[in-house]
Amino acid sequence: TFQTNILTELKNWELNLIQQHKLQMRQEKEKHDTQVKQLQNEMENLKELLHTYEISISRKDEVITNLTEALEKQKERVALMRKFTLWRIQHVKAKQEEYAIRMADKHFQTALMKKVWAAWRSVSEEKWKDKVARACQLKAEDVCIQLTNDFEAKIAELTAALELTRSELLRLHTERDQYEDTMKKAFMRGVCALNLEAMTMFQSK
């Protein structure tokens, strides 16, 4: 019947609309998943970069440790050399004693300068390491904050799109109900008119 066809058509139209809405939602979800994967990849890359910096700092610590150990060994050698020089000075002639003492003092001053330079370098390396670590930490915090803000903005955008879609679907449902009500009233008026016409014909006969 005409009413059945209209209801079927409306049902098909509603199903198509729902299918389109599901397709759009699936596409938005796929797009969102892709963006989330990209953000995760960026986070992994930043983690790898931070790990590389940590390895570099650890290697610099090892170099500083090795230099410190070498300096300690050098100090021991200098101390032994100085003792040996003092012992030798006691067994040489007067002129050789003066020359040996002068050379020992010069050698001692050189060792002292090396020690001071090594200490300064150690402090400088430590400050540099702290500066690099602080910079890496600040960079990682900035990146995390930026990623969080971008992710929240995207969620808000998707939420607004979803609300808009829901509003549109509600409006379409309302129009469909109004259309069905109009069709029912028109159909009932047609039926009533046919009934009146039939009764008139029967009364005339």
Side-chain angles (χ1 to χ4, degrees):
T1 63
F2 179 73
Q3 183 180 8
T4 303
N5 293 335
I6 291 176
L7 293 176
T8 302
E9 185 65 24
L10 289 174
K11 189 66 176 178
N12 292 333
W13 181 64
E14 180 182 7
L15 290 175
N16 290 332
L17 182 61
I18 292 174
Q19 290 297 328
Q20 291 178 358
H21 176 68
K22 288 182 178 180
L23 178 60
Q24 291 178 355
M25 291 297 292
R26 185 167 59 252
Q27 291 175 350
E28 289 295 329
K29 186 178 183 300
E30 292 175 355
K31 187 185 298 182
H32 174 262
D33 292 340
T34 302
Q35 292 177 351
V36 170
K37 289 181 180 179
Q38 291 177 354
L39 293 175
Q40 289 175 348
N41 291 332
E42 292 178 0
M43 284 293 294
E44 292 298 328
N45 292 333
L46 289 174
K47 288 181 180 178
E48 292 178 1
L49 180 60
L50 182 60
H51 182 63
T52 303
Y53 284 153
E54 291 175 351
I55 293 175
S56 177
I57 293 173
S58 176
R59 290 177 178 174
K60 289 184 181 299
D61 290 339
E62 292 178 359
V63 171
I64 293 172
T65 302
N66 293 334
L67 290 175
T68 304
E69 292 176 356
L71 180 61
E72 292 296 329
K73 292 180 180 179
Q74 185 67 24
K75 286 171 61 179
E76 293 176 359
R77 292 193 189 99
V78 170
L80 291 174
M81 183 62 68
R82 189 168 186 271
K83 290 180 180 179
F84 176 75
T85 304
L86 293 175
W87 173 83
R88 187 175 180 181
I89 289 174
Q90 296 174 358
H91 297 81
V92 296
K93 296 179 181 180
K95 293 182 179 180
Q96 291 177 344
E97 284 182 1
E98 182 180 357
Y99 178 77
I101 291 173
R102 188 167 61 249
M103 291 299 296
D105 290 338
K106 183 178 180 181
H107 189 71
F108 180 77
Q109 290 296 329
T110 302
L112 183 61
M113 289 177 63
K114 289 183 179 179
K115 181 179 179 181
V116 172
W117 180 82
W120 174 84
R121 184 176 180 180
S122 177
V123 173
S124 178
E125 289 287 342
E126 186 68 23
K127 290 181 178 179
W128 179 86
K129 182 182 68 174
D130 293 339
K131 185 177 180 180
V132 171
R134 181 60 179 171
C136 292
Q137 181 181 0
L138 292 175
K139 181 63 176 177
E141 289 177 356
D142 291 340
V143 170
C144 290
I145 291 173
Q146 184 62 37
L147 291 175
T148 301
N149 292 334
D150 294 341
F151 188 67
E152 290 178 352
K154 191 61 182 178
I155 290 177
E157 181 181 351
L158 293 175
T159 302
L162 180 60
E163 291 298 328
L164 184 61
T165 304
R166 287 176 176 173
S167 299
E168 183 65 17
L169 185 61
L170 181 61
R171 184 184 65 81
L172 293 175
H173 277 293
T174 302
E175 290 181 357
R176 186 197 65 181
D177 294 338
Q178 292 177 353
Y179 183 74
E180 288 180 353
D181 186 60
T182 302
M183 293 299 298
K184 287 179 181 179
K185 291 179 179 179
F187 181 75
M188 292 302 296
R189 285 196 299 269
V191 171
C192 290
L194 290 174
N195 289 335
L196 290 174
E197 185 176 353
M199 291 177 63
T200 302
M201 292 178 62
F202 285 134
Q203 290 175 358
S204 298
K205 291 183 179 180

